[in-house]
């Protein structure tokens, strides 16, 4: 059997259960944005790790070395944000071809350092080794969260509002422009910069984690069509999502304004948004939305609701009529 037949998640399912018997105490993991371990009486430690491979996750010709370093850390910080946690340290392992320019790597590390400084996350270790011809970057980030305040994918409840913390599809729109060789204008250059230098929602995650009525939370890395299904599977719930409520930036709409379907597809399945996907108790939503929009630059937008029926399924609606998607999310092993 080939990996492409079962996909990334099918592969993880083949072994994750065999390790769960070893989780003896309060450890929690495989299957959420971070693993959780007890740190002390007050706090839990959370840990995440992510791998970037040249030509699969990035093209050297399409991202500056500064942005590459920034993004390698940002995608990990985003998983800390998804738990409502505060990052505490990072570890960086890199495999490099011997002919890599030192000045190139200086810039990679400068990008990594600038984001580390922004959120005051020290780099505490890692590994460097030789690679035959591609750059491979692995980052591990630790964080902490008050016991009981960690936001899990399994906590969605019936009638929760499904919300996102910013417009979707910008990163995918930027990637499409890079791949199609479209030169950006004043407006659409933001799409490319969001793709290459996404901003982790650390402050938003910490804030949301402390609010009343916030149930499940995760970050949108593969596209909401795929990521929302993880919340549904782990919570044993279904969802209705209204496509006209999916927030789209003016920049994304301007790139492809005559092809509404294409824009929607980028927003639902493009991935690498690194916005937060949150479920909020219905009665707390209005107050939370008001307060959130007062605190942050992007809006908290309601896109649908959690249902008791149709567990594991997203029912897409457009102007209150059912709508079928032809491709769900992004699968790392499929063609
Ligand atoms: Mg995640």
């Amino acid at each position: 059997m080939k990996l492409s037949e079962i996909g990334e998640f099918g592969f993880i399912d083949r072994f994750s259960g065999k390790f769960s018997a070893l989780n003896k105490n309060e450890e929690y993991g495989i299957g959420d944005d971070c693993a959780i371990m007890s740190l002390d009486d007050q706090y839990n430690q959370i840990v995440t790790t992510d791998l970037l491979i040249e030509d699969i996750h990035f093209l050297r010709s399409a991202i500056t070395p500064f942005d590459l370093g920034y993004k390698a850390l940002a995608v990990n910080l985003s998983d800390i944000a998804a738990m409502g946690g505060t990052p505490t340290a990072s570890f960086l392992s890199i495999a490099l071809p011997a002919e890599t320019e030192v000045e190139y790597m200086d810039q990679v590390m400068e990008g990594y350092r600038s984001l580390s400084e922004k959120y005051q996350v020290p780099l505490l270790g890692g590994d460097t080794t030789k690679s035959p011809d591609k750059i491979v970057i692995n980052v591990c980030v630790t964080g902490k969260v008050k016991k009981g305040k960690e936001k899990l994918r399994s906590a969605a409840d019936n009638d929760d509002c499904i919300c996102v913390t910013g417009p979707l599809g910008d990163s995918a729109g930027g990637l499409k422009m890079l791949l199609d060789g479209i030169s950006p204008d004043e407006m659409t250059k933001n799409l490319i910069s969001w793709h290459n230098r996404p901003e982790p929602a650390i402050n938003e995650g910490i804030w949301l984690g402390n609010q009343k009525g916030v149930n499940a939370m995760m970050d949108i890395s593969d596209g909401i069509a795929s990521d929302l299904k993880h919340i549904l599977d782990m919570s044993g719930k279904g969802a209705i999502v209204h496509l006209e409520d999916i927030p789209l930036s003016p920049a994304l709409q301007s790139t492809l304004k005559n092809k509404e379907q294409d824009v929607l597809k980028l927003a639902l399945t493009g991935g690498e948004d690194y916005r937060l996907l949150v479920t909020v108790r219905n009665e707390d939503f209005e107050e939370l939305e008001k307060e959130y929009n007062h605190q942050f630059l992007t809006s908290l937008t309601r896109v649908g609701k959690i249902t008791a029926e149709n567990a594991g399924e997203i029912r897409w609606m457009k102007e209150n009529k059912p709508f079928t998607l032809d491709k769900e999310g992004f699968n790392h092993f499929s063609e």
Side-chain angles (χ1 to χ4, degrees), residues 61-232:
S61 60
I63 187 166
T64 65
F66 183 97
D67 285 354
L68 178 60
Y70 194 101
K71 186 171 182 174
L73 180 60
V75 302
N76 283 274
L77 291 181
S78 182
D79 279 327
I80 298 288
M83 308 298 286
T86 303
T88 51
S90 83
F91 300 82
L92 171 64
S93 297
I94 319 177
L96 297 168
E99 62 275 14
T100 311
E101 295 288 334
V102 175
E103 291 75 14
Y104 180 91
M105 289 313 297
D106 286 345
Q107 281 300 304
V108 171
M109 292 315 301
E110 190 47 30
Y112 192 97
R113 193 202 59 78
S114 88
L115 185 57
S116 302
E117 185 175 45
K118 193 170 196 170
Y119 294 103
Q120 294 293 298
V121 189
L123 172 61
L124 296 187
D127 194 15
T128 51
T129 185
K130 199 161 107 178
S131 140
D133 62 346
K134 306 287 181 210
I135 297 178
V136 178
I137 302 174
N138 174 253
V139 178
C140 173
V141 175
T142 60
K144 65 177 192 175
V145 60
K146 268 235 162 72
K147 276 194 159 71
K149 292 282 187 187
E150 55 281 316
K151 292 292 148 192
L152 304 181
R153 297 176 177 186
S154 55
D157 206 356
N158 298 340
D159 291 325
D160 277 3
C161 298
I162 300 167
C163 310
V164 295
T165 59
L168 303 183
D170 282 4
S171 173
L175 176 63
K176 190 169 165 28
M177 289 177 68
L178 289 169
L179 295 177
D180 294 351
I182 301 168
S183 8
D185 57 27
E186 215 27 58
M187 197 176 216
T188 55
K189 70 175 202 258
N190 295 332
L191 303 178
I192 292 175
S193 65
W194 189 263
H195 179 73
N196 282 341
R197 205 188 291 186
E199 202 52 43
I202 290 290
N203 295 328
E204 292 85 344
I206 293 170
W207 187 86
L208 284 165
N210 282 302
Q211 304 306 307
K212 190 163 83 100
V214 174
N215 287 334
M217 188 152 80
M218 71 181 291
D219 71 326
I220 305 178
S221 54
D222 292 343
I224 186 175
S226 163
D227 290 328
L228 178 56
K229 274 182 72 92
H230 296 309
I231 286 182
L232 301 182

Side-chain angles (χ1 to χ4, degrees), residues 1 14 23 61 76 86 89 124-125 137 187 213 231-232 238 241 248 260-262 269 287 290 294 333:
M1 183 164 51
R14 286 170 73 85
N23 296 11
S61 60
N76 283 274
T86 303
L124 296 187
I137 302 174
M187 197 176 216
I231 286 182
L232 301 182
V241 174
L248 303 170
E260 196 200 345
Q261 296 284 339
D262 293 350
T269 68
E287 189 61 34
K290 205 168 75 188
H294 182 69
F333 291 121

Side-chain angles (χ1 to χ4, degrees), residues 223-276:
I224 186 175
S226 163
D227 290 328
L228 178 56
K229 274 182 72 92
H230 296 309
I231 286 182
L232 301 182
D233 287 341
M234 293 192 69
S235 302
K237 304 293 178 196
I240 293 174
V241 174
H242 299 278
L243 294 174
E244 61 273 21
D245 294 338
I246 298 286
L248 303 170
S249 69
L252 183 66
Q253 285 172 298
S254 81
T255 50
L256 303 151
K257 61 182 155 229
N258 299 317
K259 300 179 195 155
E260 196 200 345
Q261 296 284 339
D262 293 350
V263 172
L264 207 50
K265 196 161 174 174
L266 291 173
L268 301 177
T269 68
E272 300 206 283
D273 295 301
Y274 302 111
R275 308 292 185 181
L276 298 176

